[in-house]
Amino acid sequence: MHTYDITLALTADLPLWPGDSPFLLEQVEKVENGEGANVSRVSMSVHMGTHVDAPHHFLDNGKTVDKLPLNLLIGRAYVLSLPGVELITASILEKADLPPRIRRILFKTRNSDAWANREKGFRTNFVALSPDAAEYLINRGVRLVGVDYLSVAPFTDSRPTHEILLKGGVVILEGLDLSVVTPGRYTLYCLPLKLVGSDGAPARAILVGV
Ligand SMILES: [Zn+2]
């Protein structure tokens, strides 16, 4: 049984959504300075690295991240590889021959090369889901969608895909590193920080082979 850590390592040189708050991890107490312990503090966007979007990210009256059901964030998941795809559409998903009754799907695309190559710059041409792909997944009964770049939606048109998924009660997991993951069936464990009232939260995500 193999375990994949599909979480991005949080460092200041990780690509950041344009305009988002910079990542800062700093030690504020140091043993070497005669203090009792080493203590750090962190400042970051909740949408940096591997993270979960709560409905509140796009819907003012939507649930916040602390209210997301853990039973969606943990369980059977399917990793679908779409290597030559630039935009994930409903017609691509129809042809992808998805197994029946999948509730959680993670998309492995050329985006994962960015993590394998430790790219520092933000990509605007990342692969994402079209609004009709979002509708297709909801109609298939999917309740969690994971992507291997920082947004589930195309860079120039964030709202429609997010809105369809979040209104449909789908949990969105973004910033996954699927570069070394073989497509197929796994058990996903994704645990976002319990940030009360937040529109998103950094998460640790792992896949365990089944
Ligand atoms: Zn996000």
Side-chain angles (χ1 to χ4, degrees):
M1 195 168 68
H2 191 78
T3 299
Y4 292 101
D5 188 350
I6 55 172
T7 314
L8 293 171
L10 288 170
T11 61
D13 57 8
L14 202 59
L16 202 61
W17 192 266
D20 255 4
S21 315
F23 177 79
L24 182 65
L25 176 65
E26 61 175 348
Q27 215 174 310
V28 292
E29 283 179 43
K30 295 182 180 178
V31 172
E32 67 172 30
N33 292 351
E35 286 157 318
N38 292 317
V39 179
S40 299
R41 69 172 170 187
V42 66
S43 169
M44 65 188 288
S45 163
V46 296
H47 296 277
M48 185 195 175
T50 304
H51 69 278
V52 170
D53 280 356
H56 189 60
H57 188 30
F58 280 88
L59 311 170
D60 255 350
N61 55 359
K63 270 187 197 166
T64 52
V65 77
D66 49 304
K67 301 281 183 3
L68 290 179
L70 286 178
N71 63 1
L72 286 184
L73 290 156
I74 296 172
R76 289 291 191 100
Y78 187 74
V79 176
L80 178 69
S81 177
L82 295 171
V85 166
E86 292 299 308
L87 177 68
I88 302 167
T89 61
S91 79
I92 283 168
L93 294 176
E94 271 162 27
K95 288 178 212 135
D97 200 22
L98 295 174
R101 295 188 302 278
I102 48 168
R103 290 186 82 205
R104 301 173 193 82
I105 185 165
L106 312 182
F107 292 99
K108 176 177 177 171
T109 72
R110 64 166 170 78
N111 296 338
S112 278
D113 304 347
W115 315 128
N117 301 334
R118 295 177 194 279
E119 259 178 37
K120 293 189 173 119
F122 179 82
R123 285 187 182 191
T124 54
N125 67 339
F126 57 86
V127 182
L129 275 75
S130 67
D132 75 338
E135 271 157 15
Y136 177 87
L137 292 172
I138 287 171
N139 293 336
R140 287 279 308 241
V142 168
R143 301 297 308 280
L144 179 141
V145 172
V147 290
D148 55 357
Y149 209 68
L150 299 174
S151 177
V152 72
F155 181 67
T156 50
D157 204 12
S158 268
R159 182 168 274 275
T161 302
H162 273 99
E163 211 170 62
I164 291 163
L165 291 172
L166 295 171
K167 277 186 180 161
V170 174
V171 173
I172 300 173
L173 181 49
E174 297 170 331
L176 300 173
D177 179 2
L178 299 173
S179 56
V180 299
V181 177
T182 311
R185 293 175 186 277
Y186 294 90
T187 303
L188 168 74
Y189 297 86
C190 174
L191 298 173
L193 292 183
K194 202 168 183 174
L195 297 174
V196 175
S198 181
D199 46 89
R204 190 69 181 255
I206 65 169
L207 289 175
V208 180
V210 291

PDB file of all heavy atoms in Angstrom, residues 3 8 24 27 43 53 86 96 108 123 125 127 146 149 152 154 180 189-190 194-195 205:
ATOM      1  N   THR A   3       1.588   5.365  -0.017  1.00  0.00           N
ATOM      2  CA  THR A   3       1.027   6.657   0.385  1.00  0.00           C
ATOM      3  C   THR A   3       1.730   7.772  -0.388  1.00  0.00           C
ATOM      4  O   THR A   3       2.954   7.833  -0.406  1.00  0.00           O
ATOM      5  CB  THR A   3       1.233   6.878   1.895  1.00  0.00           C
ATOM      6  OG1 THR A   3       0.555   5.838   2.585  1.00  0.00           O
ATOM      7  CG2 THR A   3       0.650   8.216   2.331  1.00  0.00           C
ATOM      8  N   LEU A   8       1.659  20.520  -1.488  1.00  0.00           N
ATOM      9  CA  LEU A   8       2.817  21.349  -1.847  1.00  0.00           C
ATOM     10  C   LEU A   8       3.547  21.796  -0.586  1.00  0.00           C
ATOM     11  O   LEU A   8       2.903  22.134   0.413  1.00  0.00           O
ATOM     12  CB  LEU A   8       2.354  22.583  -2.625  1.00  0.00           C
ATOM     13  CG  LEU A   8       1.765  22.285  -4.012  1.00  0.00           C
ATOM     14  CD1 LEU A   8       1.131  23.543  -4.589  1.00  0.00           C
ATOM     15  CD2 LEU A   8       2.838  21.747  -4.937  1.00  0.00           C
ATOM     16  N   LEU A  24       4.864  34.371   4.669  1.00  0.00           N
ATOM     17  CA  LEU A  24       5.925  34.740   5.596  1.00  0.00           C
ATOM     18  C   LEU A  24       5.905  33.798   6.794  1.00  0.00           C
ATOM     19  O   LEU A  24       4.892  33.685   7.493  1.00  0.00           O
ATOM     20  CB  LEU A  24       5.711  36.182   6.070  1.00  0.00           C
ATOM     21  CG  LEU A  24       6.773  36.751   7.008  1.00  0.00           C
ATOM     22  CD1 LEU A  24       8.126  36.881   6.315  1.00  0.00           C
ATOM     23  CD2 LEU A  24       6.336  38.115   7.535  1.00  0.00           C
ATOM     24  N   GLN A  27      10.654  33.261  12.612  1.00  0.00           N
ATOM     25  CA  GLN A  27      10.870  32.868  13.994  1.00  0.00           C
ATOM     26  C   GLN A  27      10.870  34.142  14.843  1.00  0.00           C
ATOM     27  O   GLN A  27      11.614  35.077  14.562  1.00  0.00           O
ATOM     28  CB  GLN A  27      12.221  32.158  14.083  1.00  0.00           C
ATOM     29  CG  GLN A  27      12.220  31.035  15.097  1.00  0.00           C
ATOM     30  CD  GLN A  27      13.515  30.253  15.051  1.00  0.00           C
ATOM     31  OE1 GLN A  27      13.954  29.830  13.997  1.00  0.00           O
ATOM     32  NE2 GLN A  27      14.131  30.095  16.206  1.00  0.00           N
ATOM     33  N   SER A  43       2.237  34.023   8.153  1.00  0.00           N
ATOM     34  CA  SER A  43       1.262  34.902   7.520  1.00  0.00           C
ATOM     35  C   SER A  43       1.151  34.463   6.064  1.00  0.00           C
ATOM     36  O   SER A  43       2.164  34.293   5.391  1.00  0.00           O
ATOM     37  CB  SER A  43       1.749  36.346   7.622  1.00  0.00           C
ATOM     38  OG  SER A  43       0.958  37.174   6.810  1.00  0.00           O
ATOM     39  N   ASP A  53     -11.261  25.363  -0.986  1.00  0.00           N
ATOM     40  CA  ASP A  53     -12.144  26.524  -1.134  1.00  0.00           C
ATOM     41  C   ASP A  53     -13.471  26.207  -0.445  1.00  0.00           C
ATOM     42  O   ASP A  53     -14.082  25.176  -0.729  1.00  0.00           O
ATOM     43  CB  ASP A  53     -12.473  26.775  -2.613  1.00  0.00           C
ATOM     44  CG  ASP A  53     -11.374  27.507  -3.362  1.00  0.00           C
ATOM     45  OD1 ASP A  53     -10.374  27.903  -2.742  1.00  0.00           O
ATOM     46  OD2 ASP A  53     -11.545  27.681  -4.587  1.00  0.00           O
ATOM     47  N   GLU A  86      -6.046  21.026 -22.623  1.00  0.00           N
ATOM     48  CA  GLU A  86      -5.807  22.435 -22.244  1.00  0.00           C
ATOM     49  C   GLU A  86      -6.953  23.007 -21.415  1.00  0.00           C
ATOM     50  O   GLU A  86      -6.754  23.904 -20.615  1.00  0.00           O
ATOM     51  CB  GLU A  86      -5.622  23.283 -23.504  1.00  0.00           C
ATOM     52  CG  GLU A  86      -4.334  22.968 -24.262  1.00  0.00           C
ATOM     53  CD  GLU A  86      -3.094  23.224 -23.411  1.00  0.00           C
ATOM     54  OE1 GLU A  86      -2.973  24.332 -22.853  1.00  0.00           O
ATOM     55  OE2 GLU A  86      -2.254  22.308 -23.298  1.00  0.00           O
ATOM     56  N   ALA A  96     -13.989  10.346 -21.253  1.00  0.00           N
ATOM     57  CA  ALA A  96     -12.934   9.852 -20.347  1.00  0.00           C
ATOM     58  C   ALA A  96     -13.273   8.512 -19.700  1.00  0.00           C
ATOM     59  O   ALA A  96     -12.418   7.912 -19.052  1.00  0.00           O
ATOM     60  CB  ALA A  96     -12.652  10.893 -19.265  1.00  0.00           C
ATOM     61  N   LYS A 108      -5.260  15.056 -12.905  1.00  0.00           N
ATOM     62  CA  LYS A 108      -3.822  15.177 -13.124  1.00  0.00           C
ATOM     63  C   LYS A 108      -3.612  15.675 -14.551  1.00  0.00           C
ATOM     64  O   LYS A 108      -4.015  15.015 -15.509  1.00  0.00           O
ATOM     65  CB  LYS A 108      -3.154  13.817 -12.925  1.00  0.00           C
ATOM     66  CG  LYS A 108      -1.677  13.838 -13.240  1.00  0.00           C
ATOM     67  CD  LYS A 108      -1.011  12.506 -12.970  1.00  0.00           C
ATOM     68  CE  LYS A 108       0.459  12.580 -13.373  1.00  0.00           C
ATOM     69  NZ  LYS A 108       1.219  11.402 -12.944  1.00  0.00           N
ATOM     70  N   ARG A 123       1.751  30.558 -13.376  1.00  0.00           N
ATOM     71  CA  ARG A 123       1.295  30.251 -14.734  1.00  0.00           C
ATOM     72  C   ARG A 123      -0.106  30.788 -14.910  1.00  0.00           C
ATOM     73  O   ARG A 123      -0.993  30.447 -14.120  1.00  0.00           O
ATOM     74  CB  ARG A 123       1.157  28.737 -14.929  1.00  0.00           C
ATOM     75  CG  ARG A 123       2.412  27.973 -15.093  1.00  0.00           C
ATOM     76  CD  ARG A 123       2.027  26.520 -15.438  1.00  0.00           C
ATOM     77  NE  ARG A 123       3.225  25.711 -15.557  1.00  0.00           N
ATOM     78  CZ  ARG A 123       3.234  24.476 -16.047  1.00  0.00           C
ATOM     79  NH1 ARG A 123       2.100  23.912 -16.438  1.00  0.00           N
ATOM     80  NH2 ARG A 123       4.356  23.801 -16.133  1.00  0.00           N
ATOM     81  N   ASN A 125      -1.668  30.194 -17.853  1.00  0.00           N
ATOM     82  CA  ASN A 125      -2.273  29.276 -18.843  1.00  0.00           C
ATOM     83  C   ASN A 125      -2.456  27.869 -18.274  1.00  0.00           C
ATOM     84  O   ASN A 125      -2.332  26.889 -19.001  1.00  0.00           O
ATOM     85  CB  ASN A 125      -1.419  29.234 -20.105  1.00  0.00           C
ATOM     86  CG  ASN A 125      -0.064  28.590 -19.844  1.00  0.00           C
ATOM     87  OD1 ASN A 125       0.391  28.538 -18.701  1.00  0.00           O
ATOM     88  ND2 ASN A 125       0.587  28.091 -20.880  1.00  0.00           N
ATOM     89  N   VAL A 127      -4.240  24.478 -16.773  1.00  0.00           N
ATOM     90  CA  VAL A 127      -5.407  23.697 -17.186  1.00  0.00           C
ATOM     91  C   VAL A 127      -6.459  23.761 -16.076  1.00  0.00           C
ATOM     92  O   VAL A 127      -6.122  23.615 -14.891  1.00  0.00           O
ATOM     93  CB  VAL A 127      -5.012  22.220 -17.442  1.00  0.00           C
ATOM     94  CG1 VAL A 127      -6.212  21.407 -17.916  1.00  0.00           C
ATOM     95  CG2 VAL A 127      -3.858  22.140 -18.438  1.00  0.00           C
ATOM     96  N   GLY A 146     -10.701  17.922  -7.233  1.00  0.00           N
ATOM     97  CA  GLY A 146      -9.344  18.382  -6.936  1.00  0.00           C
ATOM     98  C   GLY A 146      -8.589  18.673  -8.218  1.00  0.00           C
ATOM     99  O   GLY A 146      -8.735  17.960  -9.215  1.00  0.00           O
ATOM    100  N   TYR A 149      -3.497  22.766 -10.042  1.00  0.00           N
ATOM    101  CA  TYR A 149      -2.956  24.134 -10.008  1.00  0.00           C
ATOM    102  C   TYR A 149      -3.787  24.938  -9.015  1.00  0.00           C
ATOM    103  O   TYR A 149      -4.594  24.356  -8.272  1.00  0.00           O
ATOM    104  CB  TYR A 149      -2.882  24.760 -11.405  1.00  0.00           C
ATOM    105  CG  TYR A 149      -1.733  25.769 -11.469  1.00  0.00           C
ATOM    106  CD1 TYR A 149      -0.409  25.349 -11.396  1.00  0.00           C
ATOM    107  CD2 TYR A 149      -1.980  27.140 -11.521  1.00  0.00           C
ATOM    108  CE1 TYR A 149       0.644  26.253 -11.387  1.00  0.00           C
ATOM    109  CE2 TYR A 149      -0.930  28.053 -11.518  1.00  0.00           C
ATOM    110  CZ  TYR A 149       0.378  27.602 -11.450  1.00  0.00           C
ATOM    111  OH  TYR A 149       1.416  28.511 -11.429  1.00  0.00           O
ATOM    112  N   VAL A 152      -9.541  25.956  -9.779  1.00  0.00           N
ATOM    113  CA  VAL A 152     -10.335  24.968 -10.513  1.00  0.00           C
ATOM    114  C   VAL A 152     -10.860  25.566 -11.824  1.00  0.00           C
ATOM    115  O   VAL A 152     -11.274  24.840 -12.720  1.00  0.00           O
ATOM    116  CB  VAL A 152     -11.500  24.476  -9.604  1.00  0.00           C
ATOM    117  CG1 VAL A 152     -12.572  25.537  -9.432  1.00  0.00           C
ATOM    118  CG2 VAL A 152     -12.096  23.176 -10.095  1.00  0.00           C
ATOM    119  N   PRO A 154     -10.574  28.534 -15.179  1.00  0.00           N
ATOM    120  CA  PRO A 154      -9.577  29.237 -15.995  1.00  0.00           C
ATOM    121  C   PRO A 154      -9.228  30.604 -15.407  1.00  0.00           C
ATOM    122  O   PRO A 154     -10.071  31.269 -14.803  1.00  0.00           O
ATOM    123  CB  PRO A 154     -10.272  29.393 -17.351  1.00  0.00           C
ATOM    124  CG  PRO A 154     -11.331  28.336 -17.378  1.00  0.00           C
ATOM    125  CD  PRO A 154     -11.770  28.163 -15.951  1.00  0.00           C
ATOM    126  N   VAL A 180       3.759  12.644  -9.355  1.00  0.00           N
ATOM    127  CA  VAL A 180       4.259  11.265  -9.299  1.00  0.00           C
ATOM    128  C   VAL A 180       3.145  10.239  -9.046  1.00  0.00           C
ATOM    129  O   VAL A 180       3.423   9.065  -8.834  1.00  0.00           O
ATOM    130  CB  VAL A 180       5.386  11.106  -8.233  1.00  0.00           C
ATOM    131  CG1 VAL A 180       6.573  12.008  -8.568  1.00  0.00           C
ATOM    132  CG2 VAL A 180       4.873  11.380  -6.836  1.00  0.00           C
ATOM    133  N   TYR A 189      -7.253  11.532   1.991  1.00  0.00           N
ATOM    134  CA  TYR A 189      -7.385  12.155   3.317  1.00  0.00           C
ATOM    135  C   TYR A 189      -6.991  13.612   3.134  1.00  0.00           C
ATOM    136  O   TYR A 189      -5.837  13.902   2.818  1.00  0.00           O
ATOM    137  CB  TYR A 189      -6.461  11.500   4.344  1.00  0.00           C
ATOM    138  CG  TYR A 189      -6.769  10.053   4.599  1.00  0.00           C
ATOM    139  CD1 TYR A 189      -6.224   9.060   3.795  1.00  0.00           C
ATOM    140  CD2 TYR A 189      -7.610   9.663   5.647  1.00  0.00           C
ATOM    141  CE1 TYR A 189      -6.508   7.713   4.014  1.00  0.00           C
ATOM    142  CE2 TYR A 189      -7.902   8.329   5.875  1.00  0.00           C
ATOM    143  CZ  TYR A 189      -7.351   7.367   5.054  1.00  0.00           C
ATOM    144  OH  TYR A 189      -7.637   6.043   5.267  1.00  0.00           O
ATOM    145  N   CYS A 190      -7.942  14.507   3.303  1.00  0.00           N
ATOM    146  CA  CYS A 190      -7.656  15.925   3.132  1.00  0.00           C
ATOM    147  C   CYS A 190      -8.189  16.665   4.353  1.00  0.00           C
ATOM    148  O   CYS A 190      -9.396  16.631   4.625  1.00  0.00           O
ATOM    149  CB  CYS A 190      -8.329  16.436   1.868  1.00  0.00           C
ATOM    150  SG  CYS A 190      -8.168  18.209   1.703  1.00  0.00           S
ATOM    151  N   LYS A 194      -8.922  24.298  10.624  1.00  0.00           N
ATOM    152  CA  LYS A 194     -10.259  24.693  11.081  1.00  0.00           C
ATOM    153  C   LYS A 194     -10.286  26.187  11.389  1.00  0.00           C
ATOM    154  O   LYS A 194     -10.350  26.600  12.545  1.00  0.00           O
ATOM    155  CB  LYS A 194     -10.608  23.863  12.322  1.00  0.00           C
ATOM    156  CG  LYS A 194     -12.085  23.745  12.610  1.00  0.00           C
ATOM    157  CD  LYS A 194     -12.310  22.673  13.659  1.00  0.00           C
ATOM    158  CE  LYS A 194     -13.759  22.446  13.960  1.00  0.00           C
ATOM    159  NZ  LYS A 194     -13.938  21.315  14.879  1.00  0.00           N
ATOM    160  N   LEU A 195     -10.209  26.984  10.325  1.00  0.00           N
ATOM    161  CA  LEU A 195     -10.188  28.440  10.462  1.00  0.00           C
ATOM    162  C   LEU A 195     -11.627  28.940  10.462  1.00  0.00           C
ATOM    163  O   LEU A 195     -12.284  28.964   9.413  1.00  0.00           O
ATOM    164  CB  LEU A 195      -9.409  29.059   9.297  1.00  0.00           C
ATOM    165  CG  LEU A 195      -7.917  28.697   9.190  1.00  0.00           C
ATOM    166  CD1 LEU A 195      -7.319  29.274   7.907  1.00  0.00           C
ATOM    167  CD2 LEU A 195      -7.161  29.203  10.407  1.00  0.00           C
ATOM    168  N   ALA A 205      -2.969  16.997   2.275  1.00  0.00           N
ATOM    169  CA  ALA A 205      -3.724  16.006   1.509  1.00  0.00           C
ATOM    170  C   ALA A 205      -2.812  14.836   1.159  1.00  0.00           C
ATOM    171  O   ALA A 205      -1.692  15.043   0.699  1.00  0.00           O
ATOM    172  CB  ALA A 205      -4.284  16.641   0.236  1.00  0.00           C
TER     173      ALA A 205
END
